[in-house]
């Protein structure tokens, strides 16, 4: 039992608290409904009891490395402010007397968020080959719009090869398919990932301040995302873009990039954004981005080649018109045809781009929701 005044533990047969002198009355709950007050004699008896005085010898003050001492000469404990804590708010750590007062780095994270120690699950069988895994996933229901876009790309490329090399239509389509598959293989390789990093301005983080702020956030989110989704690669790297707009994106299977503008947000917002991008890596949405960008690049090159051919034809006709008696009319007609051809070509390019974006957005919208859910 404990004293009701000071909380000191009391023996069962004690009549008063040895700490504060408060009387203790043993009460049988079955016999009394109200506590019994101590009599005046009992109270006076308790007051007359005084504890045995304790004799202490004051030690001589000892100088211990310049540490502060109290009035009795004992070294005091000094709190140390922890400046960096991963996954928790800064804490006050009391360092015992005689120990170093240096800044203590404290990690409140689970296993210090060592994401490299987590096992990476890899597909087996034919899906262990990156290209085949991508093509199999393209047959899933939500990826059908993108698959249609890729098939139309193959048809356009095949038609161009048929016209340029005067091949039978079937052989032209087959040639276009082979060329497109080769471009897909390059796009899904580290080469394609590197090219897209260069195109989007992703650079290695070199600023110490940026590293000190982003690296702990990245490690925490990486660890939690990989723990929930073991297929995520153990070799994802963080890059930064100097874009002032707050944003982040992932590409390939090993690239995550944040913009300079995102650093103006709070740590929690940055972690939420990184979590969203890890969602794309977990669902392998970034492969689709690589392939679509490469496919659009090939079509753009084809349109550019056609434009060059139109311009060369215009120059040749203009030169020939000089030696014709109707050269002025031929030159005007040639210039008009060239102008209209370039306008029509540019319009077709915009129409094709809008069509491709519409098909890809149908798939991307669902993927964005899934990435948000993982974040």
């Amino acid at each position: 039992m404990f004293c009701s005044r000071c909380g000191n533990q009391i023996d069962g047969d004690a009549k008063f608290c040895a700490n504060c002198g408060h009387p203790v009355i043993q009460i049988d709950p079955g016999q009394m409904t109200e506590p019994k007050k101590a009599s005046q004699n009992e109270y006076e008896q308790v007051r007359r009891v005084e504890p045995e005085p304790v004799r202490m010898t004051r030690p001589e003050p000892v100088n211990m490395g310049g540490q502060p001492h109290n009035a009795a000469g004992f070294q005091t404990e000094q709190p140390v402010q922890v400046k960096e804590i991963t996954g928790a708010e800064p804490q006050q750590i009391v360092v015992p007397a005689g120990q170093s007062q240096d800044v203590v780095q404290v990690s409140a994270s689970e296993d210090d968020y060592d994401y490299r120690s987590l096992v990476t699950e890899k597909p087996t069988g034919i899906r262990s080959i990156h290209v085949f895994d991508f093509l199999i996933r393209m047959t899933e229901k939500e990826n059908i719009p993108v698959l249609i876009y890729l098939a139309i790309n193959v048809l356009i490329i095949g038609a161009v090869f048929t016209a340029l090399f005067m091949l039978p239509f079937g052989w032209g389509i087959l040639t276009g398919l082979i060329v497109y598959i080769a471009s897909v293989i390059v796009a899904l390789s580290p080469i394609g990932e590197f090219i897209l990093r260069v195109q989007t301005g992703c650079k290695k983080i070199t600023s110490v301040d940026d590293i000190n702020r982003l690296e702990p956030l990245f490690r925490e989110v990486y660890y939690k995302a990989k723990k929930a989704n073991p297929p995520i690669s153990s070799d994802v790297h963080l890059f930064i873009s100097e874009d002032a707009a707050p944003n982040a994106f992932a590409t390939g299977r090993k690239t995550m990039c944040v913009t300079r503008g995102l650093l103006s947000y709070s740590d929690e917002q940055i972690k939420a954004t990184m979590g969203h991008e890890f969602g794309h890596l977990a669902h392998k949405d970034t492969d689709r981005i690589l392939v679509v960008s490469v496919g659009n690049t090939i079509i753009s090159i084809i349109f550019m080649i056609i434009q060059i051919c139109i311009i060369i034809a215009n120059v040749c006709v203009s030169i020939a018109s000089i030696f014709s008696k109707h050269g002025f009319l031929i030159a005007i007609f040639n210039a008009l045809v060239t102008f209209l051809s370039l306008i029509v070509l540019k319009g077709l390019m915009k129409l094709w781009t809008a069509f491709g974006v519409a098909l890809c957005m149908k798939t991307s919208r669902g993927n964005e929701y899934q990435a948000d859910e993982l974040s």
Side-chain angles (χ1 to χ4, degrees), residues 119-140:
V119 177
T120 302
E121 293 183 2
K122 297 182 179 180
T124 58
I126 192 172
R127 302 197 70 162
S128 61
I129 302 175
H130 196 163
V131 176
F132 289 119
D133 179 50
F134 169 78
L135 294 176
I136 292 173
R137 285 188 290 107
M138 283 297 101
T139 61
E140 297 174 357

Side-chain angles (χ1 to χ4, degrees), residues 53-366:
V54 179
R55 297 183 178 275
M56 299 182 64
T57 303
R58 177 175 176 176
E60 293 295 329
V62 180
N63 187 359
M64 301 182 67
Q67 301 294 338
H69 298 74
N70 57 19
F74 294 101
Q75 189 175 354
T76 59
E77 296 177 344
Q78 297 296 322
V80 175
Q81 175 69 34
V82 177
K83 294 185 178 180
E84 179 182 353
I85 301 175
T86 304
E89 295 297 326
Q91 305 172 13
Q92 291 285 343
I93 306 300
V94 177
V95 180
Q99 294 187 8
S100 172
Q101 299 294 316
D102 296 336
V103 175
V104 181
Q105 300 293 335
V106 178
S107 175
S109 61
E110 184 177 357
D111 298 329
D112 196 25
Y113 297 127
D114 184 11
Y115 53 84
R116 298 186 187 277
S117 64
L118 300 177
V119 177
T120 302
E121 293 183 2
K122 297 182 179 180
T124 58
I126 192 172
R127 302 197 70 162
S128 61
I129 302 175
H130 196 163
V131 176
F132 289 119
D133 179 50
F134 169 78
L135 294 176
I136 292 173
R137 285 188 290 107
M138 283 297 101
T139 61
E140 297 174 357
K141 183 178 179 180
E142 63 271 14
N143 290 322
I144 289 179
V146 177
L147 189 62
I148 294 173
Y149 177 72
L150 299 181
I152 297 176
N153 274 332
V154 172
L155 290 176
I156 294 176
I157 296 172
V160 171
F161 273 93
T162 300
L164 290 178
F165 301 102
M166 294 179 291
L167 298 173
F169 183 73
W171 284 104
I173 296 298
L174 180 60
T175 304
L177 178 61
I178 293 173
V179 170
Y180 199 75
I181 290 178
S183 68
V184 168
I185 293 175
V186 173
L188 295 177
S189 70
I191 297 175
E193 193 167 334
F194 171 77
I195 292 174
L196 197 56
R197 281 203 304 265
V198 173
Q199 291 177 346
T200 52
C202 296
K203 297 180 180 179
K204 185 178 179 181
I205 303 176
T206 56
S207 170
V208 176
D209 292 337
D210 293 342
I211 293 174
N212 288 339
R213 185 183 182 194
L214 292 175
E215 184 64 24
L217 306 180
F218 178 71
R219 289 178 63 87
E220 178 182 353
V221 178
Y222 195 168
Y223 180 87
K224 293 179 179 178
K226 185 170 176 56
K227 193 171 184 180
N229 297 269
I232 295 178
S233 172
S234 296
D235 199 25
V236 179
H237 297 283
L238 183 64
F239 297 85
I240 192 169
S241 167
E242 295 302 324
D243 189 351
N247 195 12
F249 59 89
T251 183
R253 297 193 176 185
K254 299 180 180 180
T255 299
M256 180 182 296
C257 183
V258 298
T259 63
R260 177 68 58 186
L262 187 64
L263 299 184
S264 62
Y265 281 23
S266 67
D267 289 355
E268 294 302 318
Q269 290 173 315
I270 294 176
K271 288 195 291 185
T273 305
M274 288 181 176
H276 176 92
E277 299 309 324
F278 270 113
H280 286 309
L281 291 174
H283 303 142
K284 300 178 181 178
D285 303 330
T286 49
D287 290 346
R288 188 188 68 255
I289 296 173
L290 280 175
V291 172
V292 169
S293 63
V294 169
N296 203 38
T297 300
I298 293 178
I299 299 299
S300 298
I301 292 174
I302 291 175
F303 274 92
M304 186 181 300
I305 292 174
I306 295 174
Q307 284 179 336
I308 293 173
C309 292
I310 291 174
I311 293 173
I312 292 174
N314 175 56
V315 172
C316 292
V317 172
S318 297
I319 293 174
S321 65
I322 297 175
F323 304 98
S324 175
K325 62 179 181 179
H326 301 292
F328 180 73
L329 293 177
I330 294 174
I332 292 177
F333 179 76
N334 180 50
L336 182 61
V337 171
T338 302
F339 178 72
L340 292 176
S341 299
L342 293 177
I343 289 179
V344 171
L345 195 63
K346 187 168 291 187
L348 289 175
M349 184 61 189
K350 287 186 177 181
L351 184 63
W352 170 249
T353 302
F355 177 70
V357 169
L359 287 176
C360 294
M361 285 299 295
K362 178 65 177 176
T363 300
S364 298
R365 189 175 294 109

Side-chain angles (χ1 to χ4, degrees), residues 24-63:
V24 178
I25 307 300
Q26 300 290 339
I27 300 174
D28 186 356
Q31 297 178 358
M32 300 182 65
T33 58
E34 295 182 358
K36 179 181 177 182
K37 296 183 179 179
S39 64
Q40 184 67 23
N41 292 336
E42 289 176 333
Y43 184 74
E44 291 296 333
Q45 182 180 2
V46 169
R47 292 181 59 188
R48 286 194 295 269
V49 176
E50 296 181 359
E52 181 71 13
V54 179
R55 297 183 178 275
M56 299 182 64
T57 303
R58 177 175 176 176
E60 293 295 329
V62 180
N63 187 359

